[in-house]
Structures are given as C-alpha cells and as structure tokens.
Amino acid sequence: MHETVEGKLFTPMEAKQLREKLIRKWILPALEVRFTKFPQLKSAGLLVAQYWCDEASDAVHSLMHYSVLETPDFKAAISLEYDQNDMVNLPNLPSNAGINWCGVEEMIQWDENGIAIPAFAAYCKEGMDQEMTTKEAFSLFAIFRKTDDGIDIEYCGEMLRPWLDGISPEFSDYGGMDEEKAEQIKAKYLETLDA
C-alpha cells in the first residue's frame, strides 16, 4: 500500500491508467456510434478545460470536435460557436453539437465534477473561466481516427500542470481524507469503469 500524497487521489501512473480506462469506457463506444451514423466522419478530437461551473470551481469540461478530414482542422473548428455549421470539418453535416446530441442511444459520458478531475486536470490550461472562448479555454487531449479495424487513438495532449495529475476533486469530501478512505474511493471509481 502506498502513502497517499496530500490532495492526490491517484499516483501519476494510476492517473494515466485512469485516463485510458475513461477513454475506452466513455469515449470510444460513443464515437463508434457516431462514426456509424455519420459515415463521412473520419476523425474527432477531444478537448478539455478546467473552470468553475455551477457548483464546482474545479470542474473539468470536455468538447468533441468531429471532422470528415483525417485530422480535424482545429483552427477552423474553434473559430466557430460549437453549434454553428463547420463547413471545413463538417460540410453537409450537422454542427458538432448536432452530432453530439444526435439522438443516438450512446451519449458521451463525462463526470466533470468527479473522476474527470483527477484524470484530466493536469492537461488543462491554468486560469480559465466560462466566459472565455473555446480557443482560449480548451486544450487538445487526443485525436481519434476511424480505421477499418476500429478507432486509432493519438494522445497528443501536453501535461500543462503536472502537479494536478491525479488530484482529488474539491466538490466531494476527498480533501484531507485518510489512506483507507482514499483507497475506498479509488476502488469505487475503478470498479465503475471495469463494469
């Protein structure tokens, strides 16, 4: 049993494994549905940002930008509102918001006030807020490309704040917990992801 670092729920290695599990559990199934429903799509990019939202000051938010290109043109994508038509990445297709909310059963899950914080906070820019544009607030974490065999993942995010890798969410009573409580919470998170 390792010693719990103050304010950390996961070690850096555990946080890396957590990100990989979240991608496989949350993102890939939802992308498979969208790539099937919109066969013109060839790629998508996951962007993350951390800023106050409603009840949590440390919430980690996500955006998915879709594209008919092998690699999304993020400059074009983030120059538009999320619900605007993107004629570069999505000609003759709904907006990114329209594809995300296309009525399919498999929605992209994202626990912005919970497990997304230890997993992705280190990849978010410092000092962002909800009034900022996508371009200002969000950072690219990964690119997903449709292949004949499934979906390839390119992890291209830069760890901008390594001191937050594996950090405990502030919204719950994780801060100042003892090692036994930390292990219980970690086990609950991981059990949910392995189910």
Side-chain angles (χ1 to χ4, degrees), residues 9-10 18 22 26 50 55-56 58-61 110-121 166-172 174 185 189:
L9 189 57
F10 295 91
L18 179 63
L22 291 172
W26 286 351
Q50 185 176 41
E55 69 281 346
D58 61 340
V60 171
H61 310 276
W110 194 263
D111 182 8
E112 63 187 20
N113 296 328
I115 199 168
I117 295 167
F120 296 100
I167 195 76
S168 300
E170 293 173 4
F171 183 60
S172 298
Y174 302 158
I185 292 169
Y189 271 158

Side-chain angles (χ1 to χ4, degrees), residues 16-32:
K16 180 179 186 288
Q17 293 168 345
L18 179 63
R19 283 187 288 278
E20 292 169 357
K21 283 187 175 196
L22 291 172
I23 293 294
R24 301 222 176 273
K25 177 95 176 188
W26 286 351
I27 305 298
L28 292 183
L31 282 179
E32 288 171 1

Side-chain angles (χ1 to χ4, degrees), residues 87-181:
M87 298 312 294
V88 174
N89 289 291
L90 300 170
N92 304 312
L93 286 170
S95 66
N96 281 291
I99 293 172
N100 261 343
W101 296 97
C102 62
V104 296
E105 293 178 9
E106 192 66 54
M107 295 303 296
I108 293 178
Q109 299 177 44
W110 194 263
D111 182 8
E112 63 187 20
N113 296 328
I115 199 168
I117 295 167
F120 296 100
Y123 289 85
C124 299
K125 298 174 188 175
E126 187 72 33
M128 300 298 103
D129 66 58
Q130 63 186 4
E131 301 304 319
M132 292 179 167
T133 65
T134 300
K135 180 179 181 179
E136 294 170 314
F138 282 81
S139 302
L140 180 64
F141 178 77
I143 298 173
F144 305 89
R145 292 183 180 89
K146 182 170 64 174
T147 69
D148 292 339
D149 300 322
I151 299 174
D152 282 344
I153 307 168
E154 178 187 349
Y155 292 103
C156 48
E158 179 184 352
M159 189 176 287
L160 302 170
R161 304 181 300 169
W163 61 92
L164 295 180
D165 198 25
I167 195 76
S168 300
E170 293 173 4
F171 183 60
S172 298
D173 60 352
Y174 302 158
M177 64 189 148
D178 62 21
E179 186 173 348
E180 183 178 345
K181 179 70 173 171

